[in-house]
Amino acid sequence: MADYNVIVIGAGPAGYATAIRCAQLGMKTACIDKWSNPAGKPSLGGTCLNVGCIPSKALLDSSHHYEFMQTQAVAHGIQCENLNIDIAAMQARKNKIIKILTQGIAILFKKNKIISFQGTARLSTDKQVEITALDGHKKTLTADNIIIATGSVPVQIPIAPTDDKWIVDSAGALAFESQPKRLGVIGAGAIGLELGSVWNRLGSQVTILEALPDFLATADRKIATAAQREMKKQGLNIHLGANVTSTTIANDEITVTYQDKKAEQKLIVDKLIVAVGRKPNTEGLGAAEIGIEINARGFIQVKEHRETTIPGIYAIGDVIGGPMLAHKGSEEGVMVAEHLAGQLSKMSYETVPYVIYTRPEIAWVGKTEEQLKAAGIEYKVGQFPFMASGRARAYGDTSGMVRIIAEAQTDRLLGIHILGTSASELIAEAVLAIELKSSAEDLARTIHAHPTLSEAIHEAALGVDGRMIHA
Ligand code: FAD
Ligand code: AMP
């Protein structure tokens, strides 16, 4: 008999959610994770809790308060002299949040009787995992099923090798001890924009270099264009079509050479963040060695129910690709756990929401106009600007809009795109509406509390049929 019904490798949002759901369903479950805090103790929660979603949002919130005090407080009648930012205190707050949340996962594991191992896992057979602890001790566990949730790591580029001092990845950028005067960022994806925003709000001169000609190429064009305009107003210098070709470090500064449409250009900065994407993490896992298929981009290949090419071994989260987002991985994990318990389980990839936590926030679910045009699907659009929202005006940020796209013939919701304050929260209603296969009319007939930002969704839904009240 195997030691466990299920071994989960990785305790990021994909792995820990899976382990908890497996345990809830009565499976004897172990979870192995190698992450440790500076004291060498386990720090569950993976990239998301340790160096991703949570710490970035903690710093975004701190920097937002600082920017608010500098630029908007006076209009509220709030006077503040000698405003200062204490970077060490800001980082300590962020670290405390990480500590509370990572310890919370350990408590959840205990509550659900999940056996947690700290160490690096390697698949030795299709039913056996070898764990190497931090002190080098090895242990072997067996299981009926194994779930790989080893996540992803930042892509490194040889033209800008990270050195933890001058050139850093996203983890390094979340740990700056002082504020760089001039900050460069390579990559204008979600991570580059969020980290660039943090330091821009605190007063750094931030330049973001992006190789692609379009800003946020996968977002709705009107939303992306408006977002770029807003970020420019905030002083974020975003160069599109700027392909970084080399970096040199001399005299305490970094020279970044890039090629744009016109010529070769140079940017001189004090720190450089490399945010050019993330790649699947299968290093040392032994997956390929036991016959698990890995594709050309390094992602583990999966079939229905996220089963790998070896029966009984599943893979979920960033390591299999698709949207590299925490909630995508968690939902996949729950789906696998319920499948193992013999339940009918499915996950709807069409309704995975995307969020970028800039100011204004950007959030969407479903299709963009561009995708629908390319697919030859006829659609109609309702658009409502936050400028016309009473709640947005009271709040003090009227930038952005809600755009709702519905199928022309059936009125079925196909995509909802939001640029604005709290878009990350507002998108939940949009996800639910699309998940329930609602029509724009359903949203238009749903009563929204006044005054709320969510009224903008209501108005945009009315707008699909040309009957907005406030615009
Ligand atoms: P991970 O979170 O990467 O966890 C994998 C775990 O497996 C890690 O703990 C790792 O140490 C462990 N592991 C790997 N190999 C082994 C092994 N051989 N043995 C034992 N353990 C192993 N996503 C969002 O949805 N919203 C956001 O706002 C957001 N913000 C982000 C901000 C930043 C700066 C970054 C970097 C990422 C952000 N992401 C965000 C992405 C999100 O963090 C990832 O999509 C998510 O963490 C993936 O979850 P996962 O469980 O698949 O992998
Ligand atoms: P994401 O994958 O969403 O995190 O975004 C990473 C971004 O970095 C992509 O938009 C890439 O186009 C961009 N990128 C990758 N390599 C370079 C480079 N050498 N110079 C500038 N931008 C780059």
Side-chain angles (χ1 to χ4, degrees):
M1 206 176 93
D3 301 329
Y4 293 94
N5 297 127
V6 176
I7 293 178
V8 182
I9 305 178
Y16 79 69
T18 315
I20 291 172
R21 190 70 189 117
C22 284
Q24 281 175 348
L25 290 164
M27 293 174 236
K28 190 179 173 199
T29 307
C31 183
I32 309 163
D33 193 276
K34 64 182 178 184
W35 209 295
S36 53
N37 66 18
K41 297 279 177 232
S43 191
L44 304 175
T47 304
C48 176
L49 265 59
N50 288 288
V51 292
C53 327
I54 298 296
S56 57
K57 267 79 249 175
L59 297 188
L60 278 160
D61 282 338
S62 296
S63 60
H64 170 72
H65 293 312
Y66 181 72
E67 187 190 45
F68 174 85
M69 290 305 292
Q70 273 207 322
T71 59
Q72 293 171 57
V74 169
H76 289 261
I78 304 168
Q79 308 276 343
C80 177
E81 274 162 32
N82 303 325
L83 188 67
N84 240 314
I85 177 80
D86 177 346
I87 303 284
M90 179 181 83
Q91 293 290 16
R93 174 184 177 272
K94 177 209 76 185
N95 293 337
K96 192 169 165 200
I97 293 168
I98 295 174
K99 194 170 166 198
I100 292 170
L101 292 176
T102 53
Q103 286 177 348
I105 306 291
I107 293 167
L108 288 173
F109 273 13
K110 221 172 169 177
K111 181 181 150 201
N112 286 283
K113 301 191 174 47
I114 295 160
I115 310 299
S116 185
F117 293 92
Q118 186 184 20
T120 303
R122 209 183 123 268
L123 296 158
S124 23
T125 73
D126 60 343
K127 300 272 178 250
Q128 208 172 58
V129 181
E130 182 191 78
I131 309 172
T132 308
L134 289 187
D135 62 7
H137 271 94
K138 290 191 192 298
K139 182 193 274 276
T140 299
L141 305 178
T142 56
D144 302 323
N145 292 287
I146 297 170
I147 302 174
I148 302 171
T150 49
S152 63
V153 290
V155 168
Q156 301 273 352
I157 44 176
I159 48 166
T162 55
D163 55 20
D164 288 335
K165 185 172 179 208
W166 304 103
I167 305 182
V168 297
D169 61 16
S170 52
L174 290 167
F176 283 165
E177 287 170 3
S178 60
Q179 190 182 333
K181 193 162 172 288
R182 300 163 298 178
L183 174 66
V185 182
I186 311 181
I191 295 175
L193 289 172
E194 290 182 15
L195 294 173
S197 294
V198 166
W199 297 101
N200 178 56
R201 291 172 189 176
L202 298 178
S204 302
Q205 280 166 36
V206 178
T207 306
I208 305 184
L209 302 172
E210 167 57 54
L212 295 177
D214 292 326
F215 184 60
L216 292 176
T218 54
D220 175 274
R221 276 310 78 206
K222 290 205 173 61
I223 294 274
T225 307
Q228 192 186 356
R229 203 169 43 236
E230 290 298 330
M231 288 178 210
K232 193 172 174 194
K233 274 196 235 160
Q234 292 159 28
L236 266 179
N237 220 337
I238 302 170
H239 290 278
L240 300 174
N243 189 26
V244 176
T245 51
S246 71
T247 53
T248 51
I249 304 166
N251 305 323
D252 287 353
E253 53 185 32
I254 309 152
T255 304
V256 184
T257 307
Y258 63 96
Q259 185 74 40
D260 67 12
K261 251 197 322 219
K262 291 185 221 128
E264 188 175 274
Q265 312 279 0
K266 302 235 182 264
L267 169 74
I268 297 178
V269 290
D270 305 303
K271 290 259 190 209
L272 180 66
I273 303 173
V274 180
V276 295
R278 297 182 60 82
K279 62 173 188 185
N281 183 13
T282 51
E283 206 186 311
L285 180 65
E289 289 84 334
I290 65 159
I292 292 176
E293 202 177 313
I294 292 181
N295 73 18
R297 295 180 57 216
F299 292 107
I300 292 182
Q301 287 291 94
V302 286
K303 304 182 283 195
E304 217 196 338
H305 298 299
R306 311 303 100 185
E307 195 165 20
T308 67
T309 41
I310 304 255
I313 303 190
Y314 296 77
I316 53 171
D318 280 10
V319 77
I320 63 167
M324 289 168 93
L325 296 167
H327 42 282
K328 187 277 283 193
S330 306
E331 288 305 318
E332 272 173 345
V334 169
M335 172 177 74
V336 172
E338 292 177 354
H339 167 69
L340 290 178
Q343 296 183 359
L344 192 66
S345 71
K346 242 184 141 214
M347 171 174 165
S348 144
Y349 284 88
E350 298 75 43
T351 49
V352 173
Y354 292 78
V355 181
I356 304 172
Y357 295 78
T358 43
R359 184 169 70 76
E361 291 183 342
I362 304 162
W364 74 90
V365 57
K367 302 276 187 243
T368 61
E369 264 192 82
E370 294 70 33
Q371 286 169 328
L372 293 171
K373 264 187 209 142
I377 297 170
E378 285 187 29
Y379 60 87
K380 43 192 184 166
V381 182
Q383 178 173 321
F384 184 79
F386 281 108
M387 188 87 83
S389 150
R391 187 73 184 92
R393 192 153 293 278
Y395 180 79
D397 188 349
T398 52
S399 57
M401 68 196 98
V402 174
R403 288 171 54 73
I404 295 188
I405 309 177
E407 195 173 19
Q409 277 220 316
T410 63
D411 196 44
R412 181 171 163 177
L413 293 168
L414 298 175
I416 301 185
H417 305 262
I418 307 174
L419 173 72
T421 293
S422 299
S424 57
E425 302 293 339
L426 294 173
I427 200 67
E429 179 186 7
V431 175
L432 183 67
I434 296 190
E435 180 70 37
L436 297 181
K437 305 198 175 1
S438 313
S439 60
E441 186 65 19
D442 290 327
L443 269 186
R445 293 206 172 269
T446 302
I447 301 170
H448 290 70
H450 175 75
T452 58
L453 295 171
S454 71
E455 286 170 296
I457 294 184
H458 183 230
E459 287 277 4
L462 289 167
V464 169
D465 197 29
R467 52 187 222 264
M468 284 189 290
I469 305 286
H470 293 93

